[in-house]
């Protein structure tokens, strides 16, 4: 349509509306209407009356003195008000007694009434003259539809006598509808606490969409789809459904079929948007996309798009499976193209469950350790970085996607929290409130998250047919309803949304909202939960899902040390630890010295009463066979070889034994130490024994070294097994060692040393360099007159006395242990005072960087003063610390060039 | 919405009712306050840094002096970020914003002297409390950045393809990886997390944030400077982060350091495919305009966590030198951003 023409039409319509309003407000309207003398039966009027002229101008007259349908409708709106039914006398029309007017519309007026004899409540819809063309055939058409009760159809059509304002008698059609119980959809949307879960919009779209599509199919429409015409009805089991009231098909005045259908569609879209808008307002910390999930989001987005022009298309989107499959395929292509899956162990960091299925298959546990960790009971798993803490813990977790899980979920059902990724980090704003309440709130949030996570896994498992629901869900639903504030779980018809999905969606909605509130420092809105609630919840899970009837639940908090989990939250976790019960236990991993083992009330957790500690690094410590306190080195070697060999097989390498690639020369260790002591220029680190010792009980180090050797030597899956050259192995091992040493300088954090705030990483790096340089100096001095004597390698620091260290020195020592530079898991009898005290053994991964051997032959024995000097002023220690150091420096042997770092420059900075 | 270059002569700031500017020690951070024309009744919110860097006292005095010369005294208000107390600053800022006359409709936020966490905090506070204001993000580029090209060439010569660190950057070593409300995000995917790291030139901060979060997959986004003669900076950034490309399951992308929409588009693309399986964490260690893009992306998807690796301090002597072009970006309406998804 040309723009000018369209504009003219709009102006004309506006002018008409203006004149009509003026007419309705005219104080002489009554007189003017009576002057028209309109006879409703014969459709004849006084053509000289002013109103006739106005109607003629509107183009709603026909012939010389008659009104067309639109004219009758206009006149009816002005002249027929049905006011005789409002006089409070409860007038009777047909078999019905009117009790009150509900509302007046352009085309009809709605009254509440009841059957006079049966007292059945009904709704009467009186259709204005001219609003309907042929209401009877329209009703017949509606009766052809199949609506399953979702559309409330009239059960009677009567003629009701009435009068216009001038007293002229006429009669109008009146549709009699059964009155539906339930609430008005508009109230439902605006009720206080009308927090909906993510599936409500979808349930609405499906149910109402089906009804409207059926209307469309039979060539009808609703015609008046606004919130007051939608009833939210609760069935006997409490599920809600949406019933469309007041169908106006055939009684919408002059609106064309297409216009009416389009109005239905726009109103339908608008109502879906309103639900989404309400949902968004209650969960502002997540986007609708995330809240709904991609599948549902895309469905609703398609429906709301301008491309959807009829209900058939809307229904198609609601039933469309292919579109989501296409998306999933595109997603997989995208992820695989962008993030290439690791094709060798080069990219597969040992401790990461980057892909639970692959990681589960690649997991090579140390059996004794795994048995201990996987037993039911509270555990604290510690160990150096890369020792595999996370892998051990994650192996207990239940992932529905994993086909070959390490644990049978019928016995062990692990709920995994990857704390390092920050889930629990945000709960730190609570400090401003009452401490006791803060603490209870934190415990409550942990429990809520656990329940949500458990149910999320269960829903995935049910979807994957790994679990069955064996009882009805009412007990579980009742339990959660007692936790979740009003409106709780809004039951949806299971025909549209499964009950389990609906429960999870509601719990997720609540958990998102509560987590957001607590992280923002606000109060919880619901009941504060405690350990007993969690026990009841798990009990209900057991009875609801038969496969889980005897399982025990493991709460797995991985990397729960500071800074990933604040101390307050750690204490809340500890509260769960002391909730002694036979149904769930708590397992925590953290780096050394980063986890506070006390509860909110100040109780120190007791070992082994409350928990058992498993230190992976200590377990894998090689000890003297005579005392039986350590591990036989052959067992460790076999275990490490198994880790590598397993991956060689898994990634399809030609050889399945690492010895075929790196060899294992006899007597390597002492020869290496002797050559290093003598300062032999062509000394190489190579061979399997050197590799696994240098890895120092750390699978991540081991895999990185092997991967780097393969990289340097150009070994890939198709390479025929043969030993990589000494030179290549040495180069790779030294490269990894240098990188590990250098990585220390990039550890984040700050500490106070001498009243100055300094970088933790740089400080650790400086101390480590001086420790390494010291050991190097000692080795070189030992190598001066070696002859046939074996060189002895200093590799640990031993305390000469047991006095405590100063604050900053102690802190640095603890951090060196936390980050695995020093290992304190070995306690021995010191030679000077015969007291038991820890030896601080340097991580062997740094040995190649310092050009020292990996045997621990001797310890550097230090007094408190010297140790403090080493830790707080490392360079000063190197210059003055021991006589041997001073001697060593004078002959230059301590000068080690480390990838451009001049260690002498360290002192200048201090 | 596009980024447009502005100059004192071809100025888009004339109609700005409120100018927010932070007293950074880079020369570029005072460029707009000092050289651009504003209305006679423009209100200035001057943000000072009160921390252990002694130079800050002198710097804020310089900004104060410039402001007094150019704006009406009663229209200059000061705010202070004490240490790292962002919560305290937010309260202070919201109080001040609530006092802005209702007629003020246009706000200019000069990001040149702001770290990215402060910038995001201000943007959120501003857009929450002034949803109908027009907000212009303003930014002045430096004339020369640190490390210099000569330093870059030297590093390449010494360390080759994989440079491990840049000695003496402006931001010192990383103190903590900080997230704070409202940028905490929402996690729900158990083990799977994707860290989108806008990688700059401070490898120690990149290392810190990667080690801290330990993501399942890493999206490394490098910044391409608009000027061809600065291509070496992109190369340096890549060399600094090569070790992550080698050792992590990693995707590598490059976007303009200046094109806000391009950066949002890239994040959107990844979000579209990752959101059902991965929690997304974004860490902006990058250009101001990329930080702005990260903020706008977060507005759209507030479940995304923003993670800020905070240095233990700054070294003013290593700050960018001089100033070059200034830019303006008119921010889209918050209402539009939050309702419309991709």
């Amino acid at each position: 349509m040309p723009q000018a023409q369209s504009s003219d039409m709009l102006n004309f319509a506006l002018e008409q509306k203006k004149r009509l309003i003026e007419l309705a407000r005219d104080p002489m309207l009554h007189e003017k209407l009576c002057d028209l003398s309109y006879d409703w039966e014969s459709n004849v009027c006084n053509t000289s009356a002013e109103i006739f002229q106005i109607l003629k101008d509107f183009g709603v007259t026909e012939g010389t003195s008659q009104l067309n349908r639109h004219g009758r409708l206009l006149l009816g709106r002005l002249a027929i008000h049905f006011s005789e039914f409002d006089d409070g006398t409860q007038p009777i029309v047909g078999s019905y007694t009117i009790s009150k007017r509900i509302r007046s519309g352009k085309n009809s007026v709605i009254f509440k009434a009841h059957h006079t004899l049966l007292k059945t409540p009904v709704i009467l819809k009186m259709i204005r003259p001219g609003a309907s063309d042929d209401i009877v055939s329209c009703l017949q058409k509606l009766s052809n539809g199949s609506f399953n009760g979702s559309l409330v159809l009239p059960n009677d059509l009567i003629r009701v006598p009435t009068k216009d304002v001038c007293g002229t008698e006429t009669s109008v059609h009146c549709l009699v509808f059964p009155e539906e119980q339930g609430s008005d959809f508009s109230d439902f949307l605006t009720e206080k606490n009308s927090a909906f879960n993510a599936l409500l919009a979808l349930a609405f779209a499906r149910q109402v969409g089906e009804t409207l599509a059926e209307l469309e199919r039979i060539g009808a429409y609703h015609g008046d789809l606004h919130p007051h015409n939608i009833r939210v009805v609760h069935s006997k089991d409490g599920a809600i459904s949406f019933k469309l009231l007041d169908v106006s098909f055939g009684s919408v005045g002059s609106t064309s079929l297409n216009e009416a259908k389009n109005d239905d569609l726009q109103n339908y879209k608008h109502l879906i948007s309103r639900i989404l808008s309400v949902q968004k307002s209650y969960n502002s910390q997540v986007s609708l996309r995330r809240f709904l999930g991609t599948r549902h989001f895309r469905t609703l987005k398609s429906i709301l798009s301008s491309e959807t022009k009829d209900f058939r298309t809307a229904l198609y989107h609601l039933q469309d499976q292919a579109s989501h499959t296409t998306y999933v395929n595109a997603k997989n292509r995208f992820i695989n193209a962008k993030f290439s899956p690791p094709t060798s162990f080069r990219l597969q960091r040992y401790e990461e469950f980057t892909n639970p299925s692959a990681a589960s298959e690649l997991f090579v546990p140390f059996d004794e350790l795994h048995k201990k960790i996987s037993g039911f009971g509270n555990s604290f798993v510690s160990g150096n970085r890369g020792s595999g803490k996370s892998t051990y813990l994650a192996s207990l977790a239940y992932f529905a996607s994993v086909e070959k899980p390490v644990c049978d979920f019928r016995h062990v059902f692990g709920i995994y929290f990857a704390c390092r990724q920050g889930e629990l980090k945000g709960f730190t704003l609570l400090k401003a409130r009452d401490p006791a309440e803060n603490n209870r709130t934190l415990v409550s949030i942990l429990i809520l998250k656990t329940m949500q996570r458990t149910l999320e896994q269960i829903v995935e498992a049910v979807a994957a047919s790994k679990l069955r629901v064996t009882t009805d869900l009412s007990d579980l639903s009742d339990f959660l309803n007692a936790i979740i504030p009003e409106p709780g779980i809004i039951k949806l018809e299971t025909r549209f949304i499964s009950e389990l999905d609906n429960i999870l969606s509601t719990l997720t909605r609540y958990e998102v909202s509560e987590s957001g509130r607590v992280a923002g420092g606000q109060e919880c809105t619901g009941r504060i939960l405690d350990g007993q609630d969690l026990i009841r919840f798990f009990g209900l899970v057991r009875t609801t899902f038969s496969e889980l009837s005897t399982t025990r639940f493991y709460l797995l908090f991985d990397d729960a040390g500071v800074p990933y989990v604040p101390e307050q939250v750690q204490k809340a976790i500890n509260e769960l630890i002391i909730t002694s019960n036979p149904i769930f236990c708590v397992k925590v991993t953290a780096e050394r010295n980063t986890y506070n083992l006390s509860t909110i009330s100040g109780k120190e957790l007791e070992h082994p009463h409350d928990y058992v500690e498993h230190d992976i690094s200590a377990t894998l410590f090689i000890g003297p066979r005579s005392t039986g306190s350590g591990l036989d080195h052959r067992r460790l070697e076999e275990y490490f070889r198994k880790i590598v060999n397993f991956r060689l097989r898994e990634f399809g390498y030609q050889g399945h034994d690492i010895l075929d690639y790196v060899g294992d020369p006899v007597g390597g260790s002492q020869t290496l130490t002797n050559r290093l002591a003598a300062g032999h220029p062509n000394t190489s680190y190579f061979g399997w024994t050197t590799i696994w010792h240098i890895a120092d009980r750390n699978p991540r180090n081991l895999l990185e070294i092997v991967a780097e050797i393969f990289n340097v030597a150009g070994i890939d899956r198709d390479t025929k097994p043969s030993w990589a050259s000494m030179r290549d192995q040495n180069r790779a091992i030294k490269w990894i060692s240098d990188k590990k040493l250098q990585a220390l300088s990039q550890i984040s954090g700050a500490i106070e040393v001498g009243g100055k705030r300094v970088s933790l990483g740089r400080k650790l790096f400086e101390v480590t360099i001086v420790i390494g340089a010291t050991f190097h100096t000692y080795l070189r001095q030992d190598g001066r007159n070696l002859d046939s004597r074996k060189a002895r390698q200093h590799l640990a620091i031993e305390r000469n006395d047991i006095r405590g260290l100063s604050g900053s020195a102690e802190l640095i020592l603890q951090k060196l242990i936390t980050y695995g530079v020093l290992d304190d898991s070995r306690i021995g009898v010191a030679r000077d005072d015969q007291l038991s005290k820890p030896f601080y053994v340097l991580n062997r991964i740094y040995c190649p960087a310092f050009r020292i051997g990996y045997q621990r032959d001797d310890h550097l024995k230090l007094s408190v003063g010297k140790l403090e000097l080493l830790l707080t002023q490392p360079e000063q220690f190197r210059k003055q610390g021991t006589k041997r150091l001073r001697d060593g420096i004078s002959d230059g042997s301590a000068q080690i060039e480390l990838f451009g770092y001049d260690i002498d420059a360290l002192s200048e900075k201090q | 919405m596009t980024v447009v270059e502005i100059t004192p002569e071809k100025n888009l700031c004339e109609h700005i009712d409120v100018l927010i500017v932070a007293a950074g020690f880079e020369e570029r951070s005072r460029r707009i306050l000092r050289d651009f024309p504003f209305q006679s009744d423009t209100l200035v919110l001057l943000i000072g840094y009160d921390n252990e860097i002694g130079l800050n006292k002198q710097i804020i005095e310089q900004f104060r002096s410039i402001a007094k010369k150019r704006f009406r005294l009663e229209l200059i208000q000061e705010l202070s970020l004490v240490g790292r107390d962002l919560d305290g600053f937010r309260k202070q800022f919201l109080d001040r914003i609530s006092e802005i006359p209702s007629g003020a409709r246009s706000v200019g936020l000069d990001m040149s002297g702001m770290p990215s966490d402060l910038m995001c905090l201000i943007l959120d506070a501003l857009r929450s409390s002034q949803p109908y204001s027009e907000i212009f993000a303003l930014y002045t580029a430096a004339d020369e950045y640190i490390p210099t090209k000569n330093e870059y060439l030297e590093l390449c010569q010494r360390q080759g393809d994989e440079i491990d660190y840049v000695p003496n950057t402006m931001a010192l070593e990383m103190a903590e990886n900080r997230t704070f409300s409202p940028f905490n995000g929402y996690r729900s995917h158990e083990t799977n997390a994707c860290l989108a790291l806008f990688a700059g030139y401070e490898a120690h901060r990149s290392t810190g944030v990667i080690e801290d979060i330990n993501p399942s997959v890493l999206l490394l986004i490098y910044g391409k400077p608009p000027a061809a003669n600065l291509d070496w900076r992109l190369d340096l950034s890549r060399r600094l982060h090569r070790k992550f490309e080698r050792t992590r399951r990693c995707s590598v992308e490059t976007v303009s350091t200046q094109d806000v929409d391009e950066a949002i588009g890239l994040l959107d693309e990844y979000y579209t495919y990752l959101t059902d399986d991965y929690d997304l964490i974004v860490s902006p260690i990058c250009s101001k305009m990329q930080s702005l893009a990260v903020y706008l992306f977060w507005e759209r998807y507030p479940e995304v966590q923003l993670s800020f690796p905070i240095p233990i301090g700054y070294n003013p002597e290593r700050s960018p030198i001089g100033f070059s072009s200034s830019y303006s970006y008119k921010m889209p309406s918050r209402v539009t951003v939050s309702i419309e998804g991709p």
Side-chain angles (χ1 to χ4, degrees), chain A residues 49 81 134 314 407 419-420 483 499 531 611 673 679 696 734 748 773:
Chain A
H81 301 319
D134 184 0
C407 292
C419 303
R420 200 160 163 187
I483 289 173
E499 189 177 4
Y611 74 102
T673 308
D696 205 357
K734 287 191 75 174
S748 59

Side-chain angles (χ1 to χ4, degrees), chain A residues 16-286:
Chain A
Q16 273 193 336
K17 199 162 213 168
K18 192 177 158 195
R19 286 186 68 187
L20 204 59
I21 291 168
E22 282 170 3
L23 184 61
R25 287 177 180 165
D26 189 337
M28 299 296 292
L29 177 64
H30 186 261
E31 287 77 8
K32 288 178 179 176
L33 285 169
C34 292
D35 185 40
L36 184 66
S37 302
Y38 184 68
D39 184 331
W40 294 94
E41 302 306 316
S42 62
N43 189 14
V44 175
C45 58
N46 173 14
T47 54
S48 62
E50 183 185 344
I51 288 186
F52 185 80
Q53 290 308 315
I54 292 171
L55 294 174
K56 197 173 178 182
D57 290 348
F58 283 179
V60 295
T61 57
E62 60 186 16
T64 52
S65 61
Q66 293 184 318
L67 303 181
N68 66 14
R69 188 158 76 85
H70 198 187
R72 283 165 65 81
L73 184 59
L74 275 180
L75 185 62
R77 286 174 190 160
L78 293 170
I80 299 178
H81 301 319
F82 305 100
S83 49
E84 65 269 38
F85 305 121
D86 291 329
D87 61 3
T89 57
Q90 295 208 327
I92 293 174
V93 289
S95 310
Y96 307 98
T97 305
I98 291 176
S99 50
K100 68 169 185 180
R101 180 187 294 240
I102 296 176
R103 64 177 175 272
S104 301
K106 286 193 298 183
N107 300 306
S108 60
V109 177
I110 312 290
F111 291 95
K112 186 174 170 59
H114 60 267
H115 193 281
T116 308
L117 292 177
L118 303 174
K119 306 295 181 194
T120 317
V122 293
I123 300 294
L124 301 182
K125 176 176 180 167
M126 299 197 190
I127 298 168
R128 296 185 188 280
S132 171
D133 221 2
D134 184 0
I135 191 74
V136 176
S137 58
C138 286
L139 289 174
Q140 282 170 349
K141 205 168 198 175
L142 282 178
S143 67
N144 294 330
S146 170
F147 298 105
N148 295 321
S150 59
L151 179 68
V152 181
L153 291 169
N155 49 20
D156 202 356
L157 175 66
I158 56 175
R159 293 290 300 187
V160 175
T162 186
K163 290 177 183 170
D164 68 15
V165 290
C166 304
T168 309
E169 290 186 348
T170 183
S171 66
V172 294
H173 280 298
C174 175
L175 294 167
V176 183
F177 291 95
E179 187 186 58
E180 284 294 332
Q181 298 302 310
S183 56
D184 186 295
F185 185 69
S186 191
D187 296 338
F188 179 73
L189 284 180
T190 53
E191 269 170 13
K192 197 182 172 195
N193 293 330
S194 59
F196 305 136
N197 72 27
L199 300 174
L200 189 104
L202 195 73
F204 176 89
R206 280 185 180 155
Q207 194 181 354
V208 175
E210 275 185 10
T211 308
L212 295 169
E214 178 63 5
L215 281 169
E216 184 179 82
R217 188 188 66 79
I218 61 172
Y221 53 82
H222 183 280
D224 201 9
L225 190 66
H226 57 74
H228 293 300
N229 278 342
I230 300 173
R231 210 79 184 147
V232 183
V233 182
H234 289 259
S235 65
K236 279 181 188 167
D237 70 352
I240 63 164
S241 57
F242 305 97
K243 288 197 170 187
L244 303 191
L245 310 179
D246 197 10
V247 60
S248 300
F249 175 48
S251 57
V252 289
S254 57
T255 308
S256 71
L257 176 68
N258 277 342
E259 284 169 338
K261 278 166 67 176
N262 192 47
D263 284 352
D264 276 2
L265 188 65
Q266 295 314 318
N267 287 332
Y268 169 70
K269 291 181 179 181
H270 175 68
L271 289 168
I272 292 172
S273 297
R274 276 193 65 182
I275 297 174
L276 294 176
S277 174
V278 172
Q279 287 177 332
K280 177 76 182 154
S281 69
Y282 277 89
N283 287 86
S284 56
Q285 61 272 52
V286 292

